[in-house]
Amino acid sequence: MNPPFHFLVHLIAGWVNRHQQAVIEYLTEERQILIEQLGGKPKAFNNSQRIRLAQKAKKLGRRALFGISPIVTPDTLLRWYRNLVAAKWTFKSERKKGRPIMDHF
């Protein structure tokens, strides 16, 4: 690839990064204002809301969550993930123990 193309790619990538950061900062501030309007403590979440938050939190990871100061602690979000989202994929075996019966000879 030629150098002008690299420059153009880096220019566009930098703009996209700045734009995403501005959106994140806006949403963080909006969230903070909403918390202040609610009197500092949000209402309890239902399981559907917990699952949605937990899925997004898992993608971010604990370190990033501390950086954005979520409404609930990062440990709580990741615990919700383990308990609500990951529990969906636990397969309880209904197979009987022992050797399976052979129907044909």
Side-chain angles (χ1 to χ4, degrees):
M1 291 188 206
N2 55 13
F5 181 72
H6 284 285
F7 176 75
L8 182 62
V9 168
H10 286 291
L11 184 68
I12 293 171
W15 178 83
V16 168
N17 187 31
R18 284 190 304 274
H19 179 72
Q20 287 176 338
Q21 189 60 41
V23 169
I24 291 168
E25 289 172 4
Y26 169 79
L27 292 173
T28 302
E29 189 62 31
E30 182 180 55
R31 180 191 52 80
Q32 186 62 37
I33 291 169
L34 290 172
I35 290 172
E36 290 170 6
Q37 288 178 346
L38 289 171
K41 185 167 180 160
K43 294 171 30 177
F45 298 108
N46 61 34
N47 277 348
S48 172
Q49 293 167 332
R50 287 183 184 124
I51 289 171
R52 289 181 2 228
L53 281 174
Q55 287 173 328
K56 302 295 182 187
K58 179 65 175 171
K59 289 179 186 176
L60 287 176
R62 180 176 276 116
R63 185 173 294 168
L65 288 170
F66 276 113
I68 61 171
S69 64
I71 294 172
V72 294
T73 65
D75 291 331
T76 300
L77 289 165
L78 297 175
R79 182 179 35 127
W80 287 350
Y81 183 83
R82 285 191 310 272
N83 294 340
L84 298 170
V85 177
K88 174 182 170 184
W89 299 106
T90 58
F91 299 103
K92 294 185 178 181
S93 177
E94 294 184 15
R95 287 184 46 201
K96 296 178 181 175
K97 296 188 187 230
R99 186 173 179 171
I101 297 172
M102 302 294 281
D103 291 336
H104 59 282
F105 294 86

